[in-house]
Amino acid sequence: MLRVTGERLGLPNYIPAFASAIPATGLLQGVNYASGSAGILVETGKFQGNNIDLSKQLRNHQVTVSRFGEVLGNEEAVSNRLKQCLYYVNIGSNDYINNYFLPQFSNASKEYSPGIFAFRLVGRYYEQIKTLYNLGARKIALAGISKIGCTPFAKTIAGRKGCVDSQNAAVVPFNKLLRDLAGRLNQDFPDAKFVYLDTMAATDLLLRSLPNTQEPCCQVQTVGLCIPNGTFCDQRDTYVYWDAFHPTQAANYIVGPFLYQTLKQIL
């Protein structure tokens, strides 16, 4: 998705990860702070090992902002540069997949209804997005959670071919609250622009557009990720899912232009 968006914005390469050795001048082309299994909540995904939750990602961004000064020279130049940057924030699905939906590792589903859990998540998210704003961000896209009940992983665990409706229903309150949050942020910070990206609708588009919606393109491990050096599907441009969770390049080239129609409102 980010690569497709980057192509439309004229970026020449993949956006590098923060953990890679990026020269200060390279930071001006963008930075990727994503961390596998991480979420809005600190505890999300920690049963799999260490990850970088959103609050830590924001601290990493603060390091990036400080390094901008090495290139741009003064605070005014840094501020002006940050105002031009597009911030694409896509997080929250792991707070369900690697937290709420795993009662063997988390008590969240025992302690909270889906609505209360979503309220807790979005309340924390609001504070984190305010931190991002205070670091200089002014163009921020907030992606909703897609139909995670339609992933091969969800279907396999449930032992069915159709989407797991209960999982899709569980994330609806989060998406509704996030859409409302985007509106609230636009009111609270009128010098910035926030948009909500409807990834639920994007999932529906994918499931209508590509024929292979059931199986992942690669052989997967029990955790749903590709087996190293495993076999892959022959016609990968017909598959929605690369592994048991993530979309293929073909899927991204469908979703990217669809979401870009909303994204361009803040460019």
Side-chain angles (χ1 to χ4, degrees), residues 44-247:
T44 289
K46 290 297 192 294
F47 70 92
Q48 295 192 40
N50 192 30
N51 62 30
I52 306 170
D53 60 82
L54 182 54
S55 292
K56 288 182 180 179
Q57 292 176 33
L58 289 167
R59 289 196 287 273
N60 288 340
H61 180 57
Q62 189 170 14
V63 173
T64 298
V65 172
S66 67
R67 293 189 66 198
F68 271 21
E70 300 173 23
V71 181
L72 301 176
N74 59 72
E75 290 185 7
E76 182 179 0
V78 171
S79 177
N80 289 335
R81 180 71 182 195
L82 293 172
K83 289 176 182 177
Q84 298 171 10
C85 293
L86 170 64
Y87 291 78
Y88 177 80
V89 191
N90 187 351
I91 199 163
S93 60
N94 282 323
D95 292 292
Y96 289 88
I97 296 170
N98 290 309
N99 188 336
Y100 193 76
F101 293 155
L102 293 179
Q104 66 269 42
F105 296 110
S106 169
N107 290 324
S109 62
K110 302 172 187 176
E111 296 175 354
Y112 307 108
S113 67
I116 297 300
F117 184 69
F119 185 81
R120 177 175 178 243
L121 269 185
V122 174
R124 178 64 181 141
Y125 201 11
Y126 176 65
E127 297 301 322
Q128 292 165 325
I129 297 302
K130 282 200 300 183
T131 298
L132 187 59
Y133 170 87
N134 290 332
L135 288 171
R138 293 298 182 268
K139 300 178 180 181
I140 303 175
L142 304 173
I145 298 177
S146 63
K147 289 190 172 182
I148 53 182
C150 294
T151 63
F153 185 82
K155 295 174 184 177
T156 298
I157 295 299
R160 56 187 298 176
K161 289 187 176 181
C163 296
V164 183
D165 294 335
S166 60
Q167 291 196 4
N168 290 337
V171 302
V172 168
F174 176 89
N175 285 339
K176 183 181 184 304
L177 289 169
L178 185 59
R179 186 191 296 270
D180 293 343
L181 178 62
R184 176 184 173 184
L185 288 165
N186 280 313
Q187 292 180 341
D188 291 349
F189 306 106
D191 62 329
K193 296 179 181 179
F194 301 84
V195 294
Y196 168 78
L197 300 180
D198 190 350
T199 51
M200 278 272 190
T203 305
D204 288 335
L205 176 62
L206 278 180
L207 297 179
R208 295 193 305 266
S209 300
L210 296 173
N212 292 315
T213 63
Q214 295 293 331
E215 303 294 332
C217 181
C218 71
Q219 286 182 298
V220 296
Q221 305 164 334
T222 55
V223 294
L225 302 179
C226 294
I227 296 173
N229 302 315
T231 59
F232 300 91
C233 60
D234 292 329
Q235 297 178 314
R236 57 187 68 178
D237 60 344
T238 67
Y239 280 71
V240 171
Y241 295 101
W242 176 248
D243 56 21
F245 298 105
H246 303 100

Side-chain angles (χ1 to χ4, degrees), residues 4 202 205-206 209-210 237 248-259:
V4 175
L205 176 62
L206 278 180
S209 300
L210 296 173
D237 60 344
T248 60
Q249 178 174 284
N252 284 328
Y253 272 100
I254 293 170
V255 170
F258 174 80
L259 295 179

